[in-house]
Amino acid sequence: MPTVDPRFSVLSEDFATDPYRYFAPLREQAPVHYEPAIDSYFLSRYRDVKRVLTDHETFTTETLQVRAEPVMRGPVLAQMTGAEHTAKRKIVVRGFTGQALQDQIRAIHANAAELIAPLLPRGRMDLVNDFGRPLAVHVTLDVLGLDKKDWRQIAAWHSGVAEFITSIVLTPERRRHCMDCAEQLEAYLVPVIEQRRRHPGEDLISKLCTAEFDGIAMSDRDVTALIINVLAAATEPADKTLALLFKHLIDHPEQMAQVRQDPTLLPAAIAETLRHTPPVQLVPRQAERDAVFAGSTVPAGATVFCLIGAANRDPDAFAAPDTFDILRTDLATARSFTAAAQHLAFGAGLHQCVGAAFARAEIETVAAMLLSLLDQVRYTPGVRYRETGLYTRGPASLCVDFTPAQSTPEPH
Ligand code: 2IO
């Protein structure tokens, strides 16, 4: 096992290549790892991460003012507190549950069927770049009620926004590029919001524009920030989770066979994918007062990063944590997409992901469709597998060969 060298850095090339091999040494030898270049602390133990995410008095989301607000063009939900947060969170939850979610599942199904059709006869595809990524963008645009003919432009602006949020260090040039993307995206959204306020439809933007909770409604700035927030949050992790699920199932043929034989195991496979390889690896917080972890002090005012991937593989929380096992008994599937989730892929506490149920529906719907359409899914020979990203992390590509199944997609 590697030891944590005093020169070890989460900003190093080595860590970026394979962070997972550093998680055990970090948990054991440097549970409070300080990174001088960015004056931040990295926590890796399950109980410490859980504490940071749930002790809202000591650890706030204040850091998003510099890490997110500039490109979100307004305050996002996760920055809000108190009655305002409760009310606006309820509005967003409503937009992702009940009838709204049922409509969204229909859109997911339709988009997936449309995108997979031309790929099927080829017997080969890149699950990330040919399918998962465009799918994530198309679905998100449908949810928001934005025009899919603009999808490449919106996806390009979005990647600038995502780069800003998920970069640990940004050069002034990249920062300028990200800000340009965000400003153009905002300019694109302003007339849309104006139009939805006048003629609301069934889409999420209309709901954000018209909804009220306890007499609290959303300002134009709130709506803009929430649209950009949803765009990033529904796009960034989606293709990664889908590809990681397939990677794990390809790597564990016996579990692939079990899921194919009993599709009701799919949610367990998704939950285990989120535990084993969470697509969002970092969650930032700000310490409002000194806090002691395992004998080390995180000083008041410090930025703290929760290492979600490390926490999810803490042996104090999960047995044989490095093993991918869809049948593990210490990860309850029914709880895995709710506030009672044991894994921390959706965070925890007041700001836990509002899109968890939507995420589950999306990955479940699409994975079920792929499993029924693609037989004998295997790696394309000779293609090297590579993951990228420190903040959001996933396969750069996942090239697979398959045999098209004899069935056609069921109408939904
Ligand atoms: C801007 C990393 C895309 C969220 C943030 C406040 C976004 C917030 C997250 C996830 C995924 C992003 N944070 N979703 O970690 O809404």
Side-chain angles (χ1 to χ4, degrees):
M1 176 184 301
T3 52
V4 184
D5 191 281
R7 287 159 305 177
F8 166 82
S9 169
V10 298
L11 307 174
S12 68
E13 196 105 338
D14 268 0
F15 186 77
T17 304
D18 182 11
Y20 290 97
R21 62 193 286 271
Y22 290 98
F23 289 161
L26 279 170
R27 280 190 312 260
E28 285 158 23
Q29 302 158 40
V32 182
H33 169 77
Y34 179 62
E35 203 59 64
I38 51 170
D39 190 20
S40 301
Y41 294 79
F42 287 76
L43 300 185
S44 47
R45 289 184 180 170
Y46 183 91
R47 61 188 304 263
D48 295 346
V49 168
K50 185 97 184 230
R51 178 178 145 202
V52 168
L53 296 174
T54 51
D55 178 354
H56 307 285
E57 299 291 302
T58 312
F59 301 98
T60 66
T61 53
E62 198 75 3
T63 156
L64 294 177
Q65 223 174 82
V66 291
R67 295 204 53 92
E69 196 172 331
V71 284
M72 294 290 162
R73 317 306 295 155
V76 294
L77 195 59
Q79 280 173 267
M80 296 173 185
T81 55
E84 183 194 18
H85 175 257
T86 308
K88 291 179 179 171
R89 185 177 165 101
K90 289 249 168 69
I91 294 172
V92 178
V93 167
R94 255 198 244 136
F96 280 111
T97 44
Q99 189 53 48
L101 181 61
Q102 293 313 310
D103 295 345
Q104 287 156 0
I105 292 173
R106 234 172 307 118
I108 290 163
H109 204 276
N111 280 295
E114 193 181 321
L115 277 166
I116 197 72
L119 299 169
L120 279 181
R122 299 184 195 173
R124 171 173 290 185
M125 70 165 147
D126 175 349
L127 210 39
V128 177
N129 299 292
D130 295 340
F131 181 74
R133 177 116 285 237
L135 175 70
V137 179
H138 281 73
V139 166
T140 308
L141 295 183
D142 269 353
V143 166
L144 291 167
L146 293 174
D147 198 333
K148 280 194 283 180
K149 79 169 170 19
D150 299 333
W151 85 272
R152 281 182 198 279
Q153 178 60 74
I154 296 173
W157 290 328
H158 157 265
S159 54
V161 168
E163 180 182 341
F164 184 97
I165 306 165
T166 63
S167 290
I168 312 291
V169 278
L170 261 188
T171 64
E173 293 73 36
R174 291 315 293 169
R175 191 189 155 86
R176 192 59 252 159
H177 167 76
C178 295
M179 291 301 295
D180 283 345
C181 288
E183 282 160 16
Q184 289 176 54
L185 183 53
E186 180 186 23
Y188 175 91
L189 292 173
V190 167
V192 176
I193 296 169
E194 218 171 275
Q195 187 263 340
R196 300 289 155 89
R197 286 221 189 268
R198 275 185 278 120
H199 307 287
E202 286 305 305
D203 58 279
L204 187 64
I205 296 180
S206 297
K207 286 181 189 151
L208 297 177
C209 286
T210 53
E212 232 188 68
F213 196 89
D214 283 349
I216 297 178
M218 304 257 190
S219 68
D220 282 357
R221 235 165 74 86
D222 288 343
V223 175
T224 302
L226 255 164
I227 296 170
I228 302 179
N229 190 168
V230 167
L231 191 59
T235 308
E236 232 351 71
D239 59 305
K240 296 173 178 66
T241 309
L242 183 71
L244 289 163
L245 168 68
F246 272 84
K247 183 204 185 287
H248 298 322
L249 292 179
I250 294 170
D251 288 342
H252 300 88
E254 71 300 341
Q255 299 186 51
M256 173 78 93
Q258 281 170 323
V259 174
R260 282 190 179 281
Q261 225 229 320
D262 178 4
T264 65
L265 287 174
L266 204 42
I270 298 167
E272 176 65 345
T273 297
L274 291 171
R275 183 199 68 81
H276 194 250
T277 48
V280 179
Q281 292 267 326
L282 295 176
V283 175
R285 290 290 187 265
Q286 181 170 304
E288 296 303 325
R289 55 176 88 110
D290 288 5
V292 180
F293 295 92
S296 305
T297 301
V298 169
T303 296
V304 177
F305 282 98
C306 298
L307 286 163
I308 303 298
N312 274 354
R313 290 184 183 214
D314 189 332
D316 285 345
F318 299 100
D322 293 323
T323 305
F324 179 83
D325 178 7
I326 63 172
L327 299 179
R328 65 167 55 246
T329 51
D330 50 8
L331 185 70
T333 305
R335 289 160 58 181
S336 284
F337 305 91
T338 72
Q342 293 148 300
H343 67 80
L344 301 174
F346 292 123
L350 282 176
H351 298 296
Q352 196 190 32
C353 179
V354 284
F358 172 81
R360 174 194 165 153
E362 180 172 30
I363 305 300
E364 198 181 334
T365 303
V366 176
M369 185 187 291
L370 292 182
L371 287 173
S372 77
L373 291 174
L374 316 178
D375 282 339
Q376 293 153 46
V377 183
R378 58 214 181 257
Y379 294 121
T380 302
V383 181
R384 200 173 128 262
Y385 176 80
R386 191 170 60 88
E387 287 183 7
T388 53
L390 283 183
Y391 200 113
T392 53
R393 184 175 184 84
S397 62
L398 189 70
C399 295
V400 296
D401 288 0
F402 56 86
T403 311
Q406 290 316 312
S407 60
T408 44
E410 293 279 311
H412 199 66

